Amino acid sequence: MTTADVIAEFDWSNLVHVEGWTGRWFEEVKSELNVQSECATGLVAEKFNHKSVLKKDLAFWLADAADIMQQQLAIIGQFKDTIEIMKTESIADKSKLIKAQEQLLHCQSDQLKNLTSAVQSTVQNTVQKEMKSYSEAVGNDNSQMSTIQVQESVKKAVKTAIQEDDRSKNLVIFGVPESDAEQITKRVSELFFEIGEKPQFSASRIGVRKNDSDTNYCRPIKCSLASTTTVHQILSKARQLKLSDKFKSVFICPDRSPEERAARRALVMELKEAATNRPYYN
């Protein structure tokens, strides 16, 4: 049985009855004994032992007092049971809370391990790539790689790996109108809300703002999120913006490196050229 069950089954009308019965008993006895005190402290033994008090009155009062105390004991017992149940539930709730905290810590530990593994793998792959490039260069020059070159290679590899890891948590948003007193966080929040996302993020414009007459130009917004998982989730929904009246001209893209942007531009140009030369493929 839970606390809610005990409260639902408790006879509140009986409690009100006993409370009223107790009050009336005190008022009647104080009136008969001529006690002026507002509380029960005036009902001392001397008052009950006065010669004007009849034995039958004392017997009646005592019988009523016994009945009242019996009812009060029953109510006190119910309160005691309720308190014990509440204690048990409190202990159970604390156990659930501790278990939930342990699960959360375990989950965070697993996420940290996965993140560490991903970073280590990225660093290792990048280091191997950079070392291979240097080795090939050294082999072509028929010279031996110096210690300084090795150190610089490792530094460059680690720096590249860190940049790639940071970039994987970023998004670049194009087409959001720009103004002097804009609230970028609010605008991006509205954009994410349009596709059913409410992530934690930081955002800022990138590039140099133009002061010419081209009022249609607006700088991209770089948005940093908490994890790559959130980035992938938003990118998977980005095409929904085409159905939005407010954001149909906005595009969300990954934060690509300069090399990736150059390769993408070359691919786009190649596709455009192919479409122009071979229109029957359209």
Side-chain angles (χ1 to χ4, degrees):
M1 180 176 289
T2 65
T3 304
D5 295 331
V6 174
I7 293 175
E9 295 181 3
F10 185 78
D11 189 356
W12 294 98
S13 61
N14 184 49
L15 175 62
V16 174
H17 169 68
V18 173
E19 181 183 14
W21 188 5
T22 304
R24 289 192 299 272
W25 185 90
F26 277 115
E27 291 300 324
E28 181 182 345
V29 174
K30 286 194 302 180
S31 177
E32 291 294 334
L33 299 181
N34 196 25
V35 175
Q36 302 300 323
S37 174
E38 294 294 332
C39 58
T41 55
L43 296 176
V44 295
E46 289 79 4
K47 292 290 185 178
F48 287 99
N49 199 31
H50 195 272
K51 61 181 180 179
S52 63
V53 179
L54 300 177
K55 185 177 180 179
K56 65 174 184 177
D57 292 333
L58 286 174
F60 178 76
W61 294 338
L62 182 59
D64 272 358
D67 288 341
I68 291 172
M69 285 189 290
Q70 185 177 1
Q71 295 288 333
Q72 290 176 340
L73 283 174
I75 295 173
I76 291 172
Q78 289 179 305
F79 284 160
K80 182 179 179 182
D81 293 340
T82 304
I83 292 172
E84 290 299 323
I85 293 175
M86 292 177 66
K87 286 182 179 178
T88 303
E89 290 181 350
S90 177
I91 294 173
D93 290 341
K94 287 180 180 179
S95 299
K96 291 179 182 178
L97 178 60
I98 293 173
K99 185 177 181 180
Q101 289 175 337
E102 290 176 349
Q103 292 175 344
L104 178 60
L105 290 174
H106 181 71
C107 181
Q108 290 176 338
S109 177
D110 288 344
Q111 290 178 344
L112 181 59
K113 289 179 181 178
N114 293 336
L115 178 60
T116 303
S117 176
V119 173
Q120 289 175 344
S121 177
T122 304
V123 171
Q124 183 178 3
N125 293 337
T126 309
V127 169
Q128 290 175 351
K129 181 180 178 181
E130 294 293 337
M131 293 298 294
K132 182 178 179 181
S133 300
Y134 274 100
S135 298
E136 291 175 352
V138 170
N140 294 334
D141 294 339
N142 295 322
S143 60
Q144 186 176 6
M145 180 180 291
S146 67
T147 302
I148 296 177
Q149 287 177 312
V150 174
Q151 293 175 346
E152 291 299 323
S153 174
V154 173
K155 288 180 180 179
K156 181 179 178 182
V158 173
K159 182 178 179 181
T160 302
I162 293 174
Q163 289 175 343
E164 289 178 356
D165 181 64
D166 290 341
R167 192 178 293 114
S168 68
K169 300 177 185 177
N170 297 338
L171 291 172
V172 180
I173 305 173
F174 297 88
V176 178
E178 184 173 2
S179 62
D180 293 331
E182 66 179 353
Q183 297 178 334
I184 295 180
T185 301
K186 181 179 179 180
R187 288 196 176 190
V188 176
S189 296
E190 293 174 351
L191 173 65
F192 288 154
F193 185 77
E194 189 76 8
I195 57 176
E197 295 292 329
K198 295 191 291 184
Q200 296 292 326
F201 66 90
S202 60
S204 61
R205 296 279 182 180
I206 55 178
V208 180
R209 185 176 183 181
K210 294 183 179 180
N211 294 321
D212 55 17
S213 57
D214 187 5
T215 57
N216 293 325
Y217 174 79
C218 52
R219 291 177 295 167
I221 297 175
K222 181 178 179 180
C223 185
S224 298
L225 297 108
S227 67
T228 56
T229 302
T230 307
V231 170
H232 294 156
Q233 190 167 335
I234 293 175
L235 287 173
S236 68
K237 296 182 177 180
R239 65 180 62 188
Q240 297 178 12
L241 294 175
K242 294 181 180 180
L243 305 176
S244 170
D245 293 334
K246 186 176 182 180
F247 299 105
K248 60 184 178 182
S249 61
V250 175
F251 300 91
I252 304 177
C253 305
D255 183 13
R256 300 185 177 93
S257 65
E259 294 80 7
E260 291 172 334
R261 291 198 296 269
R264 182 175 176 81
R265 280 196 298 268
L267 178 61
V268 171
M269 292 299 296
E270 183 179 345
L271 292 175
K272 287 183 178 179
E273 183 178 351
T276 302
N277 295 335
R278 291 177 288 181
Y280 50 84
Y281 278 107
N282 291 341

